[in-house]
Amino acid sequence: MRDIRTAVAELYASGDTFALATVIDTYRSSPREPGAAMAVSATGEVAGSVSGGCVEGAVYELAQEVMAEGRAQRATYGVSDDDAFAVGLTCGGTLHVLVEPVDPARHPHLGEVIADIEAHRPVAVATVAGGPGRLGARRVIWPDRAEGDLGGSRLEAAVDDDARGMLAQGSTGILRYGAQGERRGDDLEVFVQSFAPAPRMLVFGAIDFAAAVTEIGAYLGYRVTVCDARPVFATAKRFPKADEVVVKWPHVFLAEIEAQIDERTAICVLTHDPKFDVPVLEVALRTPAGYIGAMGSRRTHDDRLARLREAGIPEDRLARLRSPIGLDLGARTPEETAVSIAAELIQTRWGGSGRPLSATEGRIHIDPLAAAPGGGPAAAPARRPAGTR
């Protein structure tokens, strides 16, 4: 829902009932990940997508039923590869979708949830999605409180505990319980959608390449900060897509926010000037950031490594540095270079080979649980919890 929150907020503010369709589980190749959503208004207007076009028509019809009947419904779309085109789910995977009627009476906390997403405050929504429970029963969980009725205090206590763990990890997916919250993987399914704060991208060096990287970082869902010590270059006007522009020496700023950096953070050092990039990389390489890249030629890279070794940075930390930054796409312009950096970020996140898909075999989409250790920066969908498909 994060991607369509503006449209959802407008529908919610109108007070009218609308339908919200959410992907709650997938199997094999699927067009969208759990959490992808589509809203359908009472007048038939649509925002968002659950499948990239494969089954939107069927979901739209189901949304009309849900609004008319006033109760949630769950649908499964999936066929084998051989007859996928005949049915409409062309990827050949399986998609489980929960469609709910939504209005202020049925979902009294949705406005607060959207406000929290906008303000980068963590919040999770747990919804009964199958089994013996009441389909569509919902509970909203914050780090320090929870509201809503799932059908029993013991179940709610278990869900609250597990949802907070998922929220801390940025995970979204289905959990299975017994009717009283027993953690036995039973038939009661609860879909937990985590809205963790967006991952951060820290761009050091207010140059033309940084403007392109900032724009594509924002497009991928990062909260982007640009930092440079030169106030004439580090201005909001030059970086309209950045969430913040900081005028400060890069290593000083990074040291100040070091405690805020996690495995989802991407650090892009684009200064290719040793007086800037060596000090900031000294700090960056001691953080848990999932991606640390630095721009420069091969000669600049060799000189940078020598300076970092002289500064006492051990080899295991140096091995984390992606330099020259980006995948080998033959990029030359700032925009092309930004695409190569984005490609490397996505590869780091999901563990892809970086080869043309036409030269590979097997499944296109890698299971997030099988991605490279450490996870890398989360560029869009968060990981599903262990135990989900």
Side-chain angles (χ1 to χ4, degrees), residues 122-126 139-143 145-147 159-160 163-164 167:
V123 62
V125 179
R139 188 168 174 83
V140 180
I141 299 105
W142 293 270
R145 63 188 175 94
E147 300 285 346
V159 171
D160 290 354
R164 288 188 176 110
L167 188 56

Side-chain angles (χ1 to χ4, degrees), residues 10-386:
E10 292 175 356
L11 290 171
Y12 188 74
S14 73
D16 296 331
T17 299
F18 64 97
L20 184 64
T22 307
V23 177
I24 60 173
D25 200 10
T26 65
Y27 179 68
R28 298 187 64 188
S29 293
S30 61
R32 303 294 303 277
E33 289 290 317
M38 182 177 86
V40 181
S41 74
T43 58
E45 296 178 349
V46 176
S49 169
V50 293
S51 72
C54 298
V55 299
E56 258 68 13
V59 174
Y60 180 85
E61 295 298 327
L62 182 58
Q64 301 292 330
E65 292 183 24
V66 164
M67 286 187 286
E69 298 175 4
R71 62 182 181 87
Q73 293 192 46
R74 175 173 173 168
T76 299
Y77 305 93
V79 292
S80 69
D81 291 329
D82 292 337
D83 58 358
F85 280 96
V87 177
L89 193 58
T90 57
C91 64
T94 303
L95 201 66
H96 300 270
V97 179
L98 180 66
V99 186
E100 309 166 81
V102 178
D103 55 40
R106 291 185 174 93
H107 198 339
H109 301 292
L110 181 58
E112 190 174 359
V113 169
I114 293 173
D116 286 334
I117 295 172
E118 289 285 351
H120 306 291
R121 293 188 295 262
V123 62
V125 179
T127 308
V128 173
R134 177 168 55 88
L135 190 68
R138 186 185 303 106
R139 188 168 174 83
V140 180
I141 299 105
W142 293 270
D144 58 349
R145 63 188 175 94
E147 300 285 346
D149 179 14
L150 293 179
S153 59
R154 292 175 61 186
L155 172 62
E156 288 161 5
V159 171
D160 290 354
D161 186 46
D162 293 341
R164 288 188 176 110
M166 293 172 66
L167 188 56
Q169 298 174 355
S171 300
T172 285
I174 285 181
L175 300 177
R176 292 175 173 84
Y177 300 92
Q180 299 300 316
E182 301 91 339
R183 293 181 172 89
R184 302 179 307 200
D186 286 349
D187 294 334
L188 178 60
E189 296 183 334
V190 178
F191 175 66
V192 177
Q193 187 168 13
S194 296
F195 298 102
R200 295 194 70 172
M201 174 182 283
L202 305 173
V203 179
F204 295 103
I207 62 175
D208 51 354
F209 285 88
V213 171
T214 297
E215 185 163 353
I216 204 165
Y219 179 76
L220 289 176
Y222 286 95
R223 183 160 57 97
V224 184
T225 298
V226 176
C227 176
D228 196 299
R230 301 165 296 180
V232 68
F233 295 112
T235 66
K237 184 176 181 179
R238 295 189 67 228
F239 298 96
K241 295 296 184 179
D243 293 277
E244 63 175 343
V245 178
V246 176
V247 180
K248 192 169 289 188
W249 276 84
H251 69 286
V252 173
F253 173 68
L254 187 57
E256 290 175 350
I257 65 166
E258 187 174 344
Q260 303 174 24
I261 295 172
D262 59 23
E263 292 182 351
R264 303 187 307 149
T265 303
I267 298 176
C268 301
V269 179
L270 309 182
T271 54
H272 52 85
D273 182 337
K275 70 175 178 290
F276 286 101
D277 60 15
V278 171
V280 74
L281 286 171
E282 287 185 54
V283 180
L285 290 170
R286 71 184 184 219
T287 72
Y291 179 91
I292 303 171
M295 179 178 284
S297 65
R298 303 286 184 189
R299 185 170 61 181
T300 298
H301 171 65
D302 291 340
D303 177 71
R304 180 187 295 133
L305 287 180
R307 291 172 183 267
L308 289 169
R309 289 189 178 102
E310 289 177 6
I313 305 300
E315 294 298 322
D316 60 335
R317 292 187 183 179
L318 290 177
R320 299 174 57 210
L321 178 60
R322 295 174 177 270
S323 174
I325 195 170
L327 294 187
D328 180 14
L329 304 182
R332 284 172 169 76
T333 68
E335 292 75 18
E336 290 174 345
T337 301
V339 170
S340 77
I341 294 171
E344 189 172 46
L345 281 167
I346 295 169
Q347 182 196 37
T348 303
R349 173 67 180 91
W350 296 108
S353 68
R355 300 168 57 205
L357 286 172
S358 60
T360 64
E361 297 179 351
R363 293 177 59 184
I364 292 175
H365 300 113
I366 298 172
D367 190 325
L369 297 175
R383 292 186 180 188
R384 284 176 282 168

